[in-house]
Amino acid sequence: MIGLIRKIIPKQIIPPFMILLAVIPALTIYEGVAANLPELPHFEAPDWFIPVGFVCIVLIFMLALAMKDKRDVEK
């Protein structure tokens, strides 16, 4: 699976793509924080943000593994 990701996504594009994938989990966390702090603007995340956030975290992990060089894995 990691080899497939290396062939599909160029190594230079992986870090910005990981940042984009981190937006949904961050918004899910922000909803809970904003509910407890009245100074922050109110944000209500849709119900589908929680399962999609877990999928995004798994994709970020897989992309991080794909960024490793083969030399790093052999050590």
Side-chain angles (χ1 to χ4, degrees):
M1 185 70 169
I2 302 302
L4 179 66
I5 293 173
R6 285 183 181 152
K7 290 179 184 176
I8 294 174
I9 302 175
K11 200 170 188 178
Q12 298 83 8
I13 296 180
I14 290 178
F17 191 60
M18 291 170 71
I19 292 171
L20 287 175
L21 285 172
V23 170
I24 291 179
L27 287 175
T28 305
I29 293 169
Y30 176 80
E31 179 187 15
V33 173
N36 292 321
L37 296 175
E39 296 84 21
L40 295 176
H42 179 69
F43 175 73
E44 190 171 328
D47 292 337
W48 56 269
F49 264 38
I50 294 173
V52 172
F54 283 110
V55 171
C56 288
I57 292 170
V58 169
L59 289 174
I60 291 169
F61 180 74
M62 291 175 64
L63 288 172
L65 289 178
M67 283 183 61
K68 292 174 92 176
D69 286 338
K70 291 180 181 178
R71 292 170 282 175
D72 294 339
V73 175
E74 293 173 356
K75 287 183 181 179

